[in-house]
């Protein structure tokens, strides 16, 4: 990704950053991100008398990163990362149309490992492997663009990643990598506290959200006999006294790469957790299971692939299921610019009471800077 480099000294001179002079060199600031756009033709089933547009222009800018980082005199690396998410459709007055800091955290790393403190995803999310993305800026697991409307009871969970604590304020520690293995641990006091507050004032009332979220994750990254291998596993638990529940998540993922091919997949399960981060009473017996599998091939500027994801949400006597296929590919034009073709098919089964599907195809342009 191409970055725009700014000197912190220049920002201080401009009055944008204030602080004492340091003996070490000033931190360097880079600005980068990705904007993904696409023109889609869509065939979505009607909901009774309600019909849907058969074309759409999609615009996604979820990761505009402002990063300050430098190496201190003692050899440690320190920094801060602020990730902006830009809302779209500013011509629709009832839609939000601003920029928000989706992530904002500080970090310190060295021979001891890496500490992160602030609003960001935890170790379970960051160390997870899943099916490959082959369409520029989009994939079947945690997609940026998915052309299906959700009218399910419990929400379509189109992800095998841990989202219980998502970008809530937390502390995370990653060990150094030993023989390809790395361990990560995260603790989130409570999940509604996300981002900065003026002067850090105030304390959150107990029993208002999922609290005391603990994450443990382990992964392996290495090569064996010319085969690139990535393996991951995680477990996450929290406490939600307000709903008399103890939500849990666990999952596994793997990637195998050789001669341009990447085969990847993941499996996820949760209990007492709906809509990614909403605790539900344990007495209801609510569970979700998601799995995905995909294969991609890259040669030169070309990448092609196919992937599948399935989600099941169940309570005793009732089940909702979502199935999504994606195929297509991309071509790198250089300088972080990619064009591609994105073909999607999603089927939703709402327990037999109501079934619907959406089929779509789009031309995608994704620009990273």
């Amino acid at each position: 990704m191409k970055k725009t480099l700014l000197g912190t000294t220049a920002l201080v001179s401009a009055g944008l950053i204030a602080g004492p002079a340091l003996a070490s060199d000033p931190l360097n600031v880079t600005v980068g991100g990705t904007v993904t756009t696409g023109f889609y033709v869509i065939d979505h089933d009607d909901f009774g008398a309600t019909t849907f547009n058969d074309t759409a222009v999609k615009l996604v800018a979820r990761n505009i990163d402002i990063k300050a980082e430098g190496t201190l005199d003692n050899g440690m690396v320190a920094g801060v990362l602020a990730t902006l998410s830009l809302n779209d459709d500013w011509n629709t007055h009832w839609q939000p149309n601003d920029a928000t800091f989706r992530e904002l955290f500080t970090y310190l790393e060295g021979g001891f490992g890496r500490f992160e403190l602030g609003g960001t995803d935890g170790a379970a999310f960051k160390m997870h492997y899943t099916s490959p993305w082959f369409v520029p800026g989009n994939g079947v697991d945690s997609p940026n663009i998915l052309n299906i409307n959700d009218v399910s009871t419990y929400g379509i969970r189109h992800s095998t990643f841990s989202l219980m604590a998502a970008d809530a304020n937390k502390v995370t520690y990653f060990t150094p990598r030993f023989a390809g293995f790395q361990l990560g641990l995260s603790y989130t006091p409570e999940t509604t506290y996300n981002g900065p507050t003026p002067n850090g004032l105030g304390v959150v009332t107990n029993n208002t959200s999922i609290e005391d979220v603990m994450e443990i994750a382990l992964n392996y990254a290495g090569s064996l006999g010319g085969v690139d291998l990535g393996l991951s596993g995680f477990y996450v638990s929290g406490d939600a006294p307000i709903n008399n529940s103890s939500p849990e998540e666990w999952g596994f993922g793997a990637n195998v790469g050789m001669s341009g091919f990447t085969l990847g997949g993941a499996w996820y399960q949760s209990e007492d957790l709906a809509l990614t981060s909403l605790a539900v009473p344990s007495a209801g017996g609510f569970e979700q299971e998601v799995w995905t599998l995909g294969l991609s091939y890259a040669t030169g500027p070309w990448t092609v692939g196919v992937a599948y994801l399935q989600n099941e949400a169940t309570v005793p006597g009732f089940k909702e299921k979502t199935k999504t296929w994606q195929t297509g590919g991309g071509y790198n034009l250089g300088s972080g610019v990619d064009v591609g073709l994105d073909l999607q098919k999603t089927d939703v089964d709402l327990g037999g009471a109501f079934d619907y599907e959406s089929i779509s195809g789009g031309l995608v342009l994704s620009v990273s800077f």
Side-chain angles (χ1 to χ4, degrees):
M1 180 185 296
K2 184 180 178 182
K3 302 285 187 177
T4 302
L5 184 63
L6 304 173
T8 303
T9 303
L11 295 178
V12 172
S13 300
L16 299 178
I17 297 179
L22 301 176
S24 306
D25 291 335
L27 303 185
N28 288 324
V29 178
T30 58
V31 179
T34 300
V35 177
T36 300
T37 57
F39 175 71
Y40 285 83
V41 176
I42 305 167
D43 181 14
H44 194 296
D45 282 351
D46 299 339
F47 291 168
T50 302
T51 60
F52 302 97
N53 287 342
D54 56 9
T55 57
V57 173
K58 297 300 181 78
L59 171 62
V60 180
R62 296 184 63 245
N63 296 298
I64 307 299
D65 296 329
I66 304 171
K67 182 178 181 181
E69 183 179 276
T71 302
L72 309 181
D73 288 341
N74 58 15
M76 291 190 294
V77 175
V80 59
L81 178 62
T83 299
L84 282 169
S85 179
L86 307 182
N87 286 310
D88 61 359
D89 202 4
W90 47 84
N91 289 322
T92 305
H93 297 294
W94 55 84
Q95 289 278 6
N97 52 16
D98 54 8
T100 58
F101 280 103
R102 192 170 60 84
E103 292 193 348
L104 180 60
F105 66 98
T106 59
Y107 58 90
L108 188 67
E109 60 181 310
F112 54 84
R114 176 181 171 105
F115 281 99
E116 296 180 351
L117 189 62
T120 183
D121 294 301
F125 184 101
K126 293 184 175 181
M127 300 177 71
H128 185 55
Y129 287 101
T130 187
S131 54
W133 280 26
F134 41 83
V135 172
N138 201 30
V140 74
D141 192 349
S142 304
N144 281 324
I145 299 172
L146 183 65
N147 297 308
I148 190 76
N149 288 318
D150 183 7
V151 294
S152 61
T153 304
Y154 299 102
I156 295 175
R157 192 189 203 284
H158 224 272
S159 177
T160 65
F161 286 79
S162 168
L163 299 173
M164 185 190 302
D167 297 326
N169 291 355
K170 59 176 60 68
V171 57
T172 297
Y173 170 67
F174 300 96
T175 68
R177 193 171 289 278
F178 297 106
F181 290 94
Q182 185 177 42
L183 178 70
L185 303 168
S186 294
Y187 171 69
T188 304
E190 59 87 32
T191 56
T192 60
Y193 220 64
N194 183 9
T197 56
N199 301 316
L201 300 179
V203 179
V204 175
T205 304
N206 277 332
N207 303 331
T208 58
S209 68
I210 303 177
E211 303 172 351
D212 297 325
V213 179
M214 302 293 298
E215 304 180 30
I216 181 169
L218 178 69
N219 75 7
Y220 171 83
S223 297
L224 301 173
V227 177
D228 296 326
L229 182 63
L231 302 171
S232 64
F234 65 81
Y235 174 75
V236 181
S237 67
D239 186 32
I242 191 173
N243 281 331
N244 297 315
S245 66
S246 300
E248 295 178 292
E249 297 178 302
W250 53 95
F252 303 94
N255 274 187
V256 179
M258 181 177 63
S259 302
F261 289 94
T262 300
L263 176 65
W267 174 86
Y268 165 95
Q269 186 168 342
S270 67
E271 294 182 355
D272 304 343
L273 194 67
L275 295 172
T276 69
S277 59
L278 177 65
V280 295
S282 297
F286 179 73
E287 297 182 357
Q288 276 195 312
E289 182 182 38
V290 188
W291 65 271
T292 180
L293 184 66
L295 176 68
S296 67
Y297 175 70
T299 178
W302 293 95
T303 303
V304 295
V306 60
Y308 174 80
L309 182 141
Q310 178 174 302
N311 166 52
E312 286 188 3
T314 62
V315 294
F318 181 75
K319 177 186 296 185
E320 295 179 338
K321 182 181 294 187
T322 304
K323 303 176 183 178
T324 295
W325 284 95
Q326 182 191 40
T327 189
Y331 181 84
N332 179 253
L333 298 174
S335 301
V337 180
D338 294 89
V339 294
L341 175 66
D342 185 9
L343 303 176
Q344 304 177 15
K345 182 179 185 295
T346 300
D347 297 287
V348 180
D349 179 358
L350 301 182
F354 179 40
D355 303 337
Y356 62 98
E357 71 173 16
S358 174
I359 301 174
S360 62
L363 298 177
V364 177
L365 173 62
S366 185
V367 179
S368 298
F369 56 92

